[in-house]
């Protein structure tokens, strides 16, 4: 038989054969960065040294082999030593090596720009496309400087509180401040760059909207006179239609001007969606003002018919309206064709995808206007021939139905755009293939590309980088002979740690440079991609 004896740190086996008792032992030495070492699990190979003797059960065979066991030489025991670097405890909040920009240092620590001149300046890779490097400061240096300036953390906290209260008071008095800025408008006009908002209304969608506003405003005036003179329900619907178009296109002009605003901290991605918001409100306005009033007037004409006066002037005004609305429609069609050709899309795809909501609204409103003029003229002609006023009321209902259809389409397309729809699968596949074909990328996951409107795409993906390729790219930029000499000079644990920390940080910087390169390639080969978020997997 045999018996196993369990001890702390060791395990002994006594076997009932002619084999020697074998005792396993593990020993781990922990090395700190200061070169000291500690024995964690060293166990004595002689159990009797602790005053413990393992129990044995002797048999006849054990007695016969006793002499052989005593005369056999002991085999040397090989101990495998494992060197472990002592883990450094950073604590729940560690900011000693954090970098901070000059703007944050001034705002968060209540410093002046002259205070930063005395601190260490570090050049780091810039996150912005227009600059390669920018200056940062060590957060620990900034904190020490703030304590030197303000004397104590309590004094710094009081200053922060005072500035916060001043900021809140400034926001409360924002209206008064804006009025003061308006009084000094002439002075700021000489110092601030001239706005390019006005130039937007002389080309592209802005030009189309302004032409439509002028023409529809004149049409509303003359149609209103014709309705007052004739009392025709169809002419009333046409006048309401022109008024709705004029108001909606004025709203589009406001959306175009607001979309040109530069991004601010509250809206970091800009205001381009203002065009879709204005178009959405315009669609609702067409439904409420145009379709609603036309239906109401048509139903009232059916319930309470009344004879229609001479329609000669109404026909003349409708003819002029047809010409003017047709001219505006041609302007919108030419603009959409030009924009669709530049994007490589068909006319239908450009309209359905609502690439340019402002021009789409003008196109659909003018197309509906031309058709509604034809419907109104036909129904008024039937009323003149038959003397039956019901045809005129039916024409009003037809114009209202046409406007309701246009408004429903505008509401649907602009809502889809505001919800953040994905780009076309073909374009997404091209972006994916561009990333996967790069040697530094192993795989990409969770790819999302959102159309932010006005030909702006936000691309996001989780990227599995090949660390070997990144390291090789780093080595290609180093002096290999000098690097080899540094490796040969490493003799102690402190030197090894310093070597690894130095080149490890450089390799991480190289990985960041590779991310910047991929983002730049995506933007250059796909101009629609404005924002790229590549997350390291």
């Amino acid at each position: 038989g045999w018996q196993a004896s369990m001890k702390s740190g060791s395990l002994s086996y006594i076997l009932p054969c002619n084999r020697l008792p074998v005792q396993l032992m593990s020993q781990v030495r922990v090395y700190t960065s200061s070169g000291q070492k500690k024995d964690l699990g060293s166990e004595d190979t002689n159990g009797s040294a602790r005053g413990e003797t393992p129990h044995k059960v002797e048999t006849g065979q054990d007695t016969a082999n006793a002499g052989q066991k005593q005369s056999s030489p002991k085999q040397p025991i090989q101990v495998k030593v494992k060197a472990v670097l002592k883990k450094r405890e950073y604590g729940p909040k560690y900011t000693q090596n954090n970098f901070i920009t000059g703007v944050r240092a001034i705002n968060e620590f209540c410093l002046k720009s002259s205070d930063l001149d005395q601190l260490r300046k570090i050049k780091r890779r810039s996150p912005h496309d227009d600059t390669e490097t920018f200056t940062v400061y060590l957060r620990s240096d900034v904190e020490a400087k703030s304590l030197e300036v303000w004397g104590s953390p309590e004094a710094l906290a009081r200053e922060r509180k005072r500035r916060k209260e001043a900021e809140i008071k400034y926001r409360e008095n924002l209206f008064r401040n804006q009025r003061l800025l308006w009084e000094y408008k002439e002075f700021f006009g000489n110092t601030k760059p001239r706005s390019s908002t006005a130039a937007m209304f002389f080309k592209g969608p802005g030009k189309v909207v302004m032409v439509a506003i002028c023409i529809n405003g004149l049409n509303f005036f003359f149609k209103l006179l014709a309705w007052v003179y004739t009392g025709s329900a169809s002419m009333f619907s046409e006048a309401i239609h022109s008024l709705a178009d004029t108001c909606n296109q004025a709203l589009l002009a406001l959306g175009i001007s607001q979309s040109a605003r530069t991004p601010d901290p509250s809206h970091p991605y800009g205001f381009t969606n203002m065009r879709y918001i204005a178009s959405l409100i315009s669609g609702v306005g067409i439904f409420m003002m145009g379709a609603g009033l036309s239906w109401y007037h048509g139903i009232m004409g059916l319930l309470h018919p009344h004879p229609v006066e001479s329609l000669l002037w109404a026909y003349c005004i409708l003819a002029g309206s047809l010409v003017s609305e047709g001219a505006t429609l041609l302007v919108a069609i030419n603009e959409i064709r030009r924009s669709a050709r530049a994007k490589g899309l068909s006319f239908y795809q450009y309209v359905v995808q609502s690439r340019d909501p402002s021009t789409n609204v003008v196109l659909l409103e003018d197309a509906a206007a031309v058709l509604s003029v034809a419907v109104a003229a036909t129904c008024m002609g039937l009323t003149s021939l038959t003397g039956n006023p019901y045809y005129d009321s039916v024409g009003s209902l037809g114009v209202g139905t046409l406007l309701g259809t246009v408004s429903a389409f505008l509401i649907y397309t602009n809502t889809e755009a505001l919800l953040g729809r994905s780009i076309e699968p073909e374009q997404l596949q091209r972006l994916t293939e561009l990333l996967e074909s790069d040697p530094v990328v192993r795989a990409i996951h969770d790819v999302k590309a959102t159309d932010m409107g006005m030909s702006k795409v936000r691309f996001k993906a989780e990227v599995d980088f090949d660390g070997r390729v990144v390291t090789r790219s780093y080595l290609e930029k180093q002096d290999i002979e000098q690097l080899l000499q540094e490796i040969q000079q490493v003799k102690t644990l402190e030197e090894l740690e310093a070597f690894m920390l130095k080149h490890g940080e450089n390799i991480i910087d190289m990985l960041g440079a590779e991310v910047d390169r991929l983002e730049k390639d995506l933007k250059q080969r796909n101009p629609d991609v404005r924002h790229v978020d590549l997350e390291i997997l």
Side-chain angles (χ1 to χ4, degrees), residues 150-450:
W150 295 104
S152 65
E154 292 77 12
L156 177 60
R158 288 194 298 269
E159 178 63 19
R160 287 176 176 173
K161 183 179 179 180
R162 186 190 66 80
R163 294 192 180 189
K164 186 66 176 179
E165 293 175 352
E167 181 181 358
I168 295 175
K169 185 177 180 181
Y170 171 81
R171 292 180 179 178
E172 292 176 351
N173 298 328
L174 183 61
F175 179 77
R176 183 176 60 85
N177 294 331
Q178 289 178 347
R179 187 176 61 183
L180 292 176
L181 291 177
W182 181 261
E183 295 177 359
Y184 292 99
K185 181 179 178 181
E186 296 181 358
F187 171 76
F188 282 102
N190 296 328
T191 57
K192 292 178 62 178
R194 181 171 297 178
S195 175
S196 60
T197 304
M200 299 178 62
F201 295 102
F202 294 98
K203 61 180 180 179
K207 177 182 177 180
V208 175
V209 171
M210 294 305 297
V211 171
I213 289 175
C214 296
I215 291 178
N216 284 317
L218 292 175
N219 287 340
F220 165 70
F221 177 74
F222 288 112
K223 288 178 182 178
L224 185 64
L225 292 179
W227 171 71
V228 171
Y229 179 74
T230 62
S232 170
S234 296
M235 185 56 64
F236 176 79
S237 297
E238 280 298 306
I240 293 299
H241 183 187
S242 297
L243 175 61
D245 288 349
T246 304
C247 295
N248 290 332
Q249 286 152 8
L251 184 62
L252 294 178
L254 178 62
I256 291 175
S257 63
Q258 292 296 314
S259 65
R261 294 169 57 186
T262 56
D264 56 25
S266 300
H267 305 84
Y269 290 104
F271 298 85
T272 54
N273 282 341
M274 282 299 300
R275 294 195 183 190
Y276 292 97
I277 295 174
S279 300
L280 177 62
I281 299 175
S282 177
V284 175
I286 293 174
F287 184 81
M288 297 296 295
M289 294 181 61
L293 290 177
S294 298
W295 284 331
Y296 171 77
H297 207 72
I299 292 173
M300 294 302 294
L302 291 175
L303 295 177
H304 306 286
H306 61 276
V308 180
E309 302 294 336
S310 175
L311 299 176
L312 178 61
W313 286 104
Y315 290 139
C316 295
I317 292 175
L318 284 178
S321 177
L322 180 64
V323 173
S324 60
E325 297 283 3
T328 308
L329 179 62
L330 290 178
V331 173
I333 290 176
N334 292 332
E335 177 63 25
I336 290 180
R337 282 180 176 175
R338 184 186 64 81
S339 301
R341 193 182 305 111
K343 298 296 181 182
L345 299 174
S346 64
F347 184 89
Y348 175 78
Q349 289 176 334
Y350 192 88
V351 173
V352 171
Q353 295 177 11
S354 189
R355 293 283 180 170
D356 187 354
S358 303
T359 308
N360 277 0
V361 171
V362 175
L363 172 71
L364 295 176
E365 284 183 348
D366 289 338
V370 172
L371 292 177
S372 63
V373 167
V375 171
T378 302
C379 293
M380 289 169 61
L382 291 175
T383 299
S384 298
L385 293 176
T386 62
N388 188 353
Y390 286 108
Y391 290 110
D392 188 55
S393 299
V394 171
S396 181
L397 293 176
V399 172
T401 302
L402 185 61
L403 293 177
T405 303
V406 171
S407 64
F409 179 79
L410 290 175
I411 292 173
Y412 172 76
T413 54
N414 288 284
T415 301
E416 285 290 312
L418 289 173
L419 288 176
R421 61 193 172 190
S422 177
I423 63 176
E424 293 297 320
E426 296 79 8
Q427 186 180 5
L428 182 61
Q429 182 66 23
R430 289 196 300 269
L431 296 175
T432 303
E433 292 177 353
L434 177 61
L435 283 179
E436 290 180 336
S437 61
D438 196 278
V440 78
V441 177
R442 281 177 173 168
I444 60 174
H445 309 279
D446 193 21
V447 180
K448 297 176 183 178
T450 306

Side-chain angles (χ1 to χ4, degrees), residues 506-519:
N506 294 338
I507 292 176
I508 294 299
D509 289 340
M510 176 60 65
L511 178 59
E514 294 292 335
V515 172
D516 292 343
R517 179 182 62 82
L518 291 175
E519 292 179 351

